Amino acid sequence: MTHKQYFEDYAIGFHRRTMGRTITEADVVLHAGQTGDFYPHHMDAEWCKTQDFGQRIAHGTLIFGVAIGMTAGAINPHAMSYGYDRLRFIRPVFINDTITVEATITEKRNHPRRADHGIVVETIEVFNQHHETLLVCEHLYLVKRRQTSVLAEH
Amino acid sequence: MTHKQYFEDYAIGFHRRTMGRTITEADVVLHAGQTGDFYPHHMDAEWCKTQDFGQRIAHGTLIFGVAIGMTAGAINPHAMSYGYDRLRFIRPVFINDTITVEATITEKRNHPRRADHGIVVETIEVFNQHHETLLVCEHLYLVKRRQTSVLAEH
Amino acid sequence: MTHKQYFEDYAIGFHRRTMGRTITEADVVLHAGQTGDFYPHHMDAEWCKTQDFGQRIAHGTLIFGVAIGMTAGAINPHAMSYGYDRLRFIRPVFINDTITVEATITEKRNHPRRADHGIVVETIEVFNQHHETLLVCEHLYLVKRRQTSVLAEH
Amino acid sequence: MTHKQYFEDYAIGFHRRTMGRTITEADVVLHAGQTGDFYPHHMDAEWCKTQDFGQRIAHGTLIFGVAIGMTAGAINPHAMSYGYDRLRFIRPVFINDTITVEATITEKRNHPRRADHGIVVETIEVFNQHHETLLVCEHLYLVKRRQTSVLAEH
Amino acid sequence: MTHKQYFEDYAIGFHRRTMGRTITEADVVLHAGQTGDFYPHHMDAEWCKTQDFGQRIAHGTLIFGVAIGMTAGAINPHAMSYGYDRLRFIRPVFINDTITVEATITEKRNHPRRADHGIVVETIEVFNQHHETLLVCEHLYLVKRRQTSVLAEH
Amino acid sequence: MTHKQYFEDYAIGFHRRTMGRTITEADVVLHAGQTGDFYPHHMDAEWCKTQDFGQRIAHGTLIFGVAIGMTAGAINPHAMSYGYDRLRFIRPVFINDTITVEATITEKRNHPRRADHGIVVETIEVFNQHHETLLVCEHLYLVKRRQTSVLAEH
């Protein structure tokens, strides 16, 4: 469950795919309860019938949190989550949709101030059961280098 | 609870501040249960004692979700959440920390393809009880324009 | 989110209406888990089929707690919840019913012993999606007076 | 688990006492999540330090719901919960307080319109570990009569 | 709620039957969240459609935990749960199945080392709404004897 | 996340050890809520002070469920959980204890009636932070054989 990887060990193009998970009504209720977001888009089935999307939709932060959790695998003690870029909600997620997540290492770059670490970018895509894209983002990891970057030191 | 605002109605610099919320052990347990992220950083108090941070830390996606929920106020039927940029975890959040959120309209820009909508950027900052910054991000809203942008049509 | 109001500032007839919220099976399961009330009326779908109401019904304390939560708005530092009178369950609430709450200031009266406070009564009515009344009660607030009541001093 | 009792079978003065239950931080977090009441009185430990009560207090509706759940015992198919009168919050309940509930049959009366049923009143008192009263209310049950009331028919 | 029983007081053949409880999707989601078991058998409705059982099935540990909880009645201060033998999952439990539990005292035996206690075996059977057996096990209680066993002292 | 293994592929003595997990008050509250077991041993901190163990103890079914969940790793499509033998609660588990689980393949045997499957026994031991044993059991898996057993056919 621990898998040590230095910055140099990450390969651009490395791809992984999670199992699926069905987003249930209970998930939406629990997420509203955790975040305090009880907007009718998520909680009022009657009002939703009068809107374009026609039914309750899952919170964006729910799908994001679950999708990131689904990508959690082995622990790399040399890496930590640094942040996220370009998080976009492409399609609404409805109750009973089943999501899967694909993650691909798409970029490695120097950290602007830390020569002994680099940034690894993993692009996250979340799909529903119709293979439609629901959410995308770039997950940035701060990863220790095996050898301090010469370029970065300049 | 509904407050209609067009793109033109948003003012750069408009600032709001939420009440506080204490991040509890129960929040961390519930978030692990919702996302499936049971990493020892969040769930194993003994192991955490051996780490630099010395105690369990809240999931980044928990703080993000709760903070965004705390900014949820009146519903604007002309706006929808479009995504987030530059989400960064600045400091770890520990169990029993109390967070508050400040939100400021920092930018308005054209949507690249939709002349009848614009993008409003609200910068989100999350603080703990010591006024230290924990998390920052830019929340992008897609907001209907009262009048179709001439510039955008070109 | 804070709105200071003295006893004198409350107006009889002031009326407000919440957004809707769908009562889900998850709400009933969570409420049973919180209160320990696992009566078959709420938890045994098979037994309920043999009863007059034909299906599981939500706990009265669930509907009461959710409805009161739905009326929580701005904080008035001069007021506190004093209690409830005449709480009545008018119709059963079924899973998937969507409730809305209407609240009306219906009475203001002296406090029997505290001349510097008064009692404000807000009548609460909970409706389903068919505009049928489900629950009614009177919510009593103990509210500071701007000026000590002369009448009450006698 | 089923104990049939007609209106005539209830004895004024019948008294019962529950086991205890500690009100935990998790209970408060879950109740906020279920009801949407995230007021700082319950959720912001820092702000509470600045208030008279000095610490977070449990929601009144939490204590009410848990206390009523604690009194749920055998099912009486001839009785149903009719409502509550004179619900009062006497003292604040703090996280880690342990509550017990005492219930006493204090009144039996005719139903104004239904000759075949009567109202049984059970007075509920909730105590903390210091034997201080926290909450009181009257629980009204609508109970079938073995014999239709002659008085009520007039 | 307390019922004192010594080892000698348990009668072979004593039988009890619980009320029913419907296993909901929320139960499965909450159990996954508590245990961290997010296997697709429980969480991925799409994948389940491709399997023999055709739909999501409840975790075995969920049915076991709920069934044992359903048998919790009066507290016997002379008894404690010692363990379980021959726990077997006979049939899958699907979301919306309603379970009932039957418990029968089937054996009493000496404890190998403690002359002042004996082992009482309660056989547990869990049924669905079609009276099909879902789960069986033997619940072992360690129970104080009224009189120290002579046989066991040898 | 899928790892195909036939009965023949399991090796006696194969051993694995999980990461740790702290059992929180929230876990106990959630487990009481899921199972309906609100016994004072788990829920009444005041009463527990008067008992030998001095503080609240976690439900046995909670520790069992969490421990089994912690051993859930790759999915083996050729195996299914068949049941558990000799589940014993060795020491009480207190709130804030951190558990780890060790699992060892200790036995392989024929299935009494199914020649194309065998039983693999994995012995489970749960430890606290003091390396004391809390719970043991034998997890039985029904596993498909690569080749039908000749012995079992007789």
Side-chain angles (χ1 to χ4, degrees):
Chain A
M1 286 151 176
T2 296
H3 179 53
K4 292 188 182 180
Q5 273 192 294
Y6 286 100
F7 179 76
E8 291 85 346
D9 301 328
Y10 285 82
I12 302 280
F14 179 78
H15 181 80
R16 57 204 178 104
R17 188 169 193 278
T18 69
M19 290 186 291
R21 181 165 159 195
T22 302
I23 302 299
T24 65
E25 186 182 65
D27 287 308
V28 172
V29 169
L30 289 167
H31 193 73
Q34 177 142 73
T35 63
D37 177 347
F38 288 83
Y39 272 0
H41 311 69
H42 316 301
M43 304 304 278
D44 182 345
E46 295 296 320
W47 179 81
C48 288
K49 289 179 189 168
T50 70
Q51 300 294 305
D52 286 350
F53 43 86
Q55 58 178 299
R56 284 169 294 171
I57 55 178
H59 303 74
T61 49
L62 168 62
I63 301 307
F64 174 64
V66 168
I68 295 304
M70 289 168 77
T71 66
I75 296 169
N76 180 3
H78 297 324
M80 56 173 292
S81 188
Y82 183 76
Y84 296 87
D85 276 344
R86 275 176 278 281
L87 169 54
R88 295 292 181 274
F89 304 117
I90 311 295
R91 275 186 188 77
V93 184
F94 301 112
I95 290 170
N96 297 327
D97 276 0
T98 295
I99 66 173
T100 48
V101 186
E102 301 199 21
T104 312
I105 304 297
T106 48
E107 191 185 344
K108 293 167 67 175
R109 57 181 189 241
N110 295 329
H111 184 279
R113 288 176 309 278
R114 301 179 65 166
D116 54 346
H117 282 72
I119 300 286
V120 173
V121 181
E122 187 172 45
T123 297
I124 303 290
E125 293 175 275
V126 182
F127 299 94
N128 64 14
Q129 66 274 24
H130 309 301
H131 308 292
E132 297 170 323
T133 304
L134 304 172
L135 179 156
V136 294
C137 69
E138 295 173 5
H139 191 171
L140 311 187
Y141 299 94
L142 183 67
V143 191
K144 202 172 183 182
R145 291 173 187 272
R146 186 175 281 111
Q147 294 189 297
T148 297
S149 161
V150 177
L151 276 173
E153 288 179 325
H154 286 277
Chain B
M1 288 150 176
T2 295
H3 179 53
K4 292 189 182 181
Q5 273 193 293
Y6 286 99
F7 180 75
E8 291 84 347
D9 302 328
Y10 284 84
I12 302 279
F14 178 77
H15 181 80
R16 57 203 178 105
R17 188 171 193 278
T18 69
M19 290 185 292
R21 179 165 160 194
T22 302
I23 301 299
T24 66
E25 186 182 64
D27 287 308
V28 172
V29 169
L30 289 167
H31 193 73
Q34 177 143 75
T35 63
D37 177 348
F38 289 82
Y39 272 0
H41 311 69
H42 317 301
M43 304 303 278
D44 182 345
E46 295 295 321
W47 179 82
C48 288
K49 289 178 189 168
T50 71
Q51 302 294 305
D52 285 351
F53 42 87
Q55 57 177 297
R56 284 168 294 171
I57 54 177
H59 302 73
T61 48
L62 169 63
I63 302 308
F64 173 65
V66 168
I68 295 304
M70 289 168 78
T71 66
I75 296 170
N76 180 2
H78 297 324
M80 55 173 293
S81 188
Y82 183 75
Y84 297 87
D85 276 342
R86 276 176 277 280
L87 168 55
R88 294 292 180 273
F89 304 116
I90 311 296
R91 274 185 190 77
V93 184
F94 301 112
I95 290 170
N96 296 327
D97 276 0
T98 296
I99 67 173
T100 48
V101 186
E102 301 198 22
T104 312
I105 304 297
T106 47
E107 191 185 343
K108 293 168 67 175
R109 58 182 189 242
N110 295 329
H111 186 280
R113 287 176 309 278
R114 301 179 65 166
D116 54 347
H117 281 72
I119 300 285
V120 173
V121 180
E122 188 171 46
T123 296
I124 303 290
E125 293 176 275
V126 183
F127 299 94
N128 64 15
Q129 66 275 23
H130 309 300
H131 308 293
E132 296 170 321
T133 305
L134 305 172
L135 178 156
V136 294
C137 69
E138 295 174 4
H139 192 171
L140 311 187
Y141 299 94
L142 182 68
V143 190
K144 202 172 182 181
R145 292 173 186 274
R146 186 174 281 110
Q147 294 188 297
T148 297
S149 161
V150 177
L151 276 173
E153 288 179 323
H154 288 277
Chain C
M1 286 151 178
T2 295
H3 179 53
K4 292 189 183 179
Q5 274 191 293
Y6 286 100
F7 179 76
E8 291 84 347
D9 302 328
Y10 284 83
I12 302 280
F14 179 77
H15 181 80
R16 56 203 179 104
R17 188 170 193 277
T18 69
M19 290 186 290
R21 180 164 159 195
T22 303
I23 302 299
T24 66
E25 185 182 66
D27 287 307
V28 172
V29 169
L30 290 166
H31 193 72
Q34 178 141 73
T35 62
D37 177 348
F38 289 83
Y39 272 0
H41 311 69
H42 317 299
M43 303 304 277
D44 182 344
E46 295 296 321
W47 179 81
C48 288
K49 288 178 191 169
T50 70
Q51 301 294 305
D52 284 351
F53 41 86
Q55 58 177 298
R56 284 169 292 172
I57 55 178
H59 303 73
T61 49
L62 169 62
I63 301 307
F64 173 65
V66 168
I68 295 304
M70 288 168 78
T71 67
I75 296 170
N76 180 3
H78 297 325
M80 55 173 292
S81 188
Y82 183 75
Y84 296 87
D85 276 344
R86 277 178 275 279
L87 169 55
R88 294 292 180 273
F89 304 116
I90 311 295
R91 272 186 190 78
V93 184
F94 301 113
I95 290 170
N96 296 327
D97 276 359
T98 296
I99 67 173
T100 49
V101 186
E102 301 199 22
T104 312
I105 304 296
T106 48
E107 191 185 345
K108 293 169 66 175
R109 56 181 188 240
N110 295 328
H111 185 279
R113 288 175 309 276
R114 302 180 64 166
D116 53 346
H117 281 72
I119 301 286
V120 173
V121 180
E122 188 171 45
T123 296
I124 304 291
E125 294 174 275
V126 183
F127 299 94
N128 65 14
Q129 66 276 22
H130 309 302
H131 307 293
E132 296 169 322
T133 305
L134 305 172
L135 179 156
V136 293
C137 69
E138 295 174 4
H139 191 172
L140 312 187
Y141 300 94
L142 182 68
V143 190
K144 204 174 182 180
R145 291 173 187 273
R146 187 175 280 110
Q147 294 189 298
T148 297
S149 160
V150 177
L151 276 174
E153 287 178 325
H154 288 276
Chain D
M1 287 149 172
T2 295
H3 179 53
K4 292 189 182 179
Q5 275 192 294
Y6 286 99
F7 179 74
E8 290 85 346
D9 302 328
Y10 285 83
I12 302 280
F14 179 77
H15 181 80
R16 55 204 179 105
R17 188 170 194 276
T18 69
M19 291 186 291
R21 181 164 160 194
T22 302
I23 301 300
T24 66
E25 186 182 65
D27 287 307
V28 172
V29 169
L30 289 167
H31 193 72
Q34 177 143 71
T35 63
D37 176 347
F38 289 82
Y39 272 0
H41 311 69
H42 318 299
M43 304 304 279
D44 182 344
E46 296 295 322
W47 179 82
C48 288
K49 289 179 190 168
T50 70
Q51 300 295 304
D52 286 350
F53 41 86
Q55 57 178 299
R56 284 168 292 171
I57 54 177
H59 302 74
T61 48
L62 169 62
I63 301 307
F64 174 64
V66 168
I68 295 304
M70 289 167 79
T71 66
I75 296 170
N76 180 3
H78 297 323
M80 55 172 292
S81 188
Y82 183 76
Y84 297 87
D85 275 344
R86 278 177 275 280
L87 169 55
R88 294 292 181 272
F89 304 117
I90 311 295
R91 274 186 188 77
V93 184
F94 301 113
I95 290 170
N96 296 327
D97 276 359
T98 295
I99 66 173
T100 48
V101 185
E102 301 199 21
T104 312
I105 304 297
T106 47
E107 191 186 344
K108 292 168 67 176
R109 57 182 188 239
N110 295 328
H111 185 279
R113 289 177 308 278
R114 301 178 65 165
D116 53 347
H117 282 73
I119 300 286
V120 173
V121 180
E122 188 172 46
T123 296
I124 304 290
E125 293 175 274
V126 183
F127 299 94
N128 66 13
Q129 66 275 23
H130 310 301
H131 308 292
E132 296 169 324
T133 304
L134 304 172
L135 179 155
V136 294
C137 69
E138 295 174 5
H139 192 170
L140 312 187
Y141 299 94
L142 182 67
V143 190
K144 202 172 181 181
R145 292 173 186 272
R146 188 175 280 112
Q147 294 188 298
T148 297
S149 161
V150 177
L151 276 174
E153 288 179 325
H154 287 276
Chain E
M1 287 147 174
T2 295
H3 179 53
K4 292 189 182 179
Q5 274 192 295
Y6 287 99
F7 179 74
E8 291 84 347
D9 302 329
Y10 285 84
I12 302 281
F14 179 77
H15 181 80
R16 55 204 180 104
R17 188 170 192 278
T18 70
M19 291 186 291
R21 180 165 160 195
T22 302
I23 302 299
T24 66
E25 186 182 65
D27 288 307
V28 172
V29 169
L30 289 166
H31 193 73
Q34 177 144 72
T35 62
D37 176 348
F38 288 83
Y39 272 1
H41 311 68
H42 317 299
M43 304 303 280
D44 182 345
E46 295 296 319
W47 180 82
C48 287
K49 288 179 190 168
T50 70
Q51 301 294 305
D52 286 350
F53 41 87
Q55 57 178 299
R56 285 168 293 171
I57 55 178
H59 303 73
T61 48
L62 169 62
I63 301 307
F64 173 65
V66 168
I68 295 304
M70 289 167 78
T71 66
I75 295 170
N76 180 2
H78 298 323
M80 57 172 293
S81 188
Y82 183 75
Y84 296 87
D85 276 343
R86 275 177 277 280
L87 169 55
R88 296 291 181 273
F89 304 117
I90 311 295
R91 274 187 189 75
V93 184
F94 301 112
I95 290 169
N96 296 328
D97 275 359
T98 295
I99 66 173
T100 49
V101 186
E102 302 198 21
T104 312
I105 304 297
T106 47
E107 191 186 343
K108 293 169 66 175
R109 58 181 188 241
N110 295 327
H111 185 279
R113 288 177 308 279
R114 302 179 65 167
D116 54 346
H117 281 73
I119 300 286
V120 173
V121 181
E122 188 172 46
T123 296
I124 303 290
E125 292 176 275
V126 183
F127 299 94
N128 65 14
Q129 66 275 23
H130 309 302
H131 308 292
E132 296 170 324
T133 305
L134 304 172
L135 179 155
V136 294
C137 69
E138 295 174 4
H139 192 173
L140 312 187
Y141 299 94
L142 183 67
V143 190
K144 203 173 181 181
R145 292 173 186 273
R146 187 174 280 112
Q147 293 188 296
T148 297
S149 161
V150 177
L151 276 174
E153 288 178 324
H154 287 275
Chain F
M1 286 151 175
T2 296
H3 178 54
K4 292 189 183 179
Q5 275 191 294
Y6 286 100
F7 179 74
E8 292 84 347
D9 302 328
Y10 284 83
I12 302 280
F14 179 78
H15 181 80
R16 57 205 179 104
R17 189 171 193 277
T18 69
M19 290 186 292
R21 180 164 160 195
T22 302
I23 301 299
T24 66
E25 186 182 65
D27 288 307
V28 172
V29 169
L30 289 167
H31 193 72
Q34 178 142 72
T35 63
D37 177 347
F38 289 82
Y39 272 0
H41 311 69
H42 317 301
M43 304 304 278
D44 182 344
E46 295 296 319
W47 179 82
C48 287
K49 288 178 190 168
T50 70
Q51 301 293 305
D52 286 349
F53 43 85
Q55 56 178 299
R56 284 169 293 172
I57 55 177
H59 303 72
T61 49
L62 169 62
I63 301 307
F64 173 65
V66 168
I68 295 305
M70 289 168 78
T71 66
I75 296 169
N76 180 3
H78 297 324
M80 56 173 292
S81 188
Y82 183 76
Y84 296 87
D85 276 343
R86 277 177 276 280
L87 169 55
R88 295 292 180 274
F89 304 116
I90 311 294
R91 274 186 188 76
V93 184
F94 300 113
I95 289 170
N96 295 328
D97 276 0
T98 296
I99 67 173
T100 49
V101 186
E102 302 199 21
T104 312
I105 303 296
T106 47
E107 191 186 343
K108 294 169 66 176
R109 58 182 188 240
N110 295 328
H111 185 279
R113 288 176 308 276
R114 301 180 64 167
D116 54 346
H117 281 72
I119 300 286
V120 173
V121 180
E122 188 171 46
T123 297
I124 303 290
E125 292 176 275
V126 182
F127 299 95
N128 66 14
Q129 66 276 21
H130 309 302
H131 308 293
E132 296 169 323
T133 304
L134 304 173
L135 178 155
V136 294
C137 68
E138 295 175 5
H139 192 171
L140 311 187
Y141 299 95
L142 182 67
V143 190
K144 203 173 182 181
R145 292 173 186 273
R146 188 174 278 111
Q147 294 188 298
T148 298
S149 161
V150 176
L151 277 174
E153 287 179 323
H154 288 275

